[in-house]
Amino acid sequence: MKELWGMALPITAMNMLVFVRAVVSVLFLGRLGSLELAGGALSIGFTNITGYSVLVGLAAGLEPVCSQAFGSKNWDLLSLSLQRMVLILLMAIVPISLLWLNLERIMLFMGQDSAITGMASLYCFYSLPDLLTNTLLQPLRVFLRSQKVTKPMMYCSLVAVLFHVPLNYLLVVVMGLGVPGVAMASVMTNLNMVVLMAGYGCVCRKREVVLKWRCGGGGVVCSGLGQLMGFAVPSCLMICLEWWWYEIVTVLAGYLPRPTLAVAATGILIQTTSMMYTVPMALAGCVSARVSLSLSLSLSLHYTIY
C-alpha cells in the first residue's frame, strides 16, 4: 500500500493540476461572455469525443507493454514501444484533424445553434496544434509512469500550470485575442508539459532506460505496430465508451430552449465534476503499472528457476 500510494499521490496531484488548467480555461471563457463560454464548452465536448479520448485510449495500450518491459529490463522493447505508439497516434490525428476542421458543418447538420457552433468552430480550429502535443504527451506520461517516475511528472505539470494563468491573461486580456487566446494558452501549456517531461528524461538521466535508449529505424519501429495495436485498440474502445456518454450531455444541452445558457452551464458542470475522477484514474494507472511489473518479475523468476 505504501508503494502504491507513493506512486498514486503524485499522479493524483498531476491530475488535479490538469483539472486546474481546464478550470482556468473555463473561467477565462466565462469572462468573455455566455456565448463564448457555450461555444468553448461545445468545442471541448466535441474534441474530447472525437480526439482526446481516442489519443488517451490508444496511449493506454502502451501501459502493459512498457511496465513489463521495464520490469524485465528489456530496454530496447521499452524505447521502441514508445516510438511505435507515437507513430500510431500520428496516424490517428489525421482523420481527427479533419473532423475538427469540419466541426461547424457537423454541428449545424445535427441542429445545433449557429452562433454557438461558430464560436465552437473557432475554438476548435485554434486547438488543432494540441493534437500534435498530445501525440507526444500521452505516450510520454505512460512511459514515465511505467518506470515509477511519478514525482518528476507532478513537478513538470506544476510548472506548466503555473504559467497557464499568465498565458491566458496575456493572450485574452492584454492582447485581446478572445476565444482563440484561450485555446492557444491550453496548447502552449501542454507543450510546456511535453518539453519539461522530455527534458527531465534527457537531462537528468536518472533512469537506466534513458541511458540505454534505442532509436529504431523505420522498419524496426513499424514491424511491431500490429502487436501494439492489439493492446491499444481495446483500451481505446473502453476509454472512449467511458468518456463519450459524459461529453454527449453537452451536445444534448444545445437542443434545450435557451441553448447558450444551457451549454454554458453544462460546460461548467462537466469541468467541475471531472475533479471526481482524479483519484480513481491515478489509482487505476498505478495499479496497472504495479501488476505489469509484478508479472514481469514473476516471469523473470520463473525462467531463472527453470
Side-chain angles (χ1 to χ4, degrees), residues 128-144:
L128 276 171
D130 210 23
L131 288 174
L132 284 174
T133 58
N134 274 270
T135 296
L136 299 175
L137 180 61
Q138 300 303 333
L140 192 57
R141 283 175 173 169
V142 177
F143 179 74
L144 294 174

Side-chain angles (χ1 to χ4, degrees), residues 37-71:
L37 178 57
L42 181 61
S43 179
I44 290 170
F46 182 82
T47 53
N48 281 340
I49 292 171
T50 59
Y52 296 124
S53 60
V54 176
L55 299 181
V56 172
L58 289 172
L62 192 62
E63 186 102 49
V65 180
C66 280
S67 297
Q68 293 190 49
F70 176 71

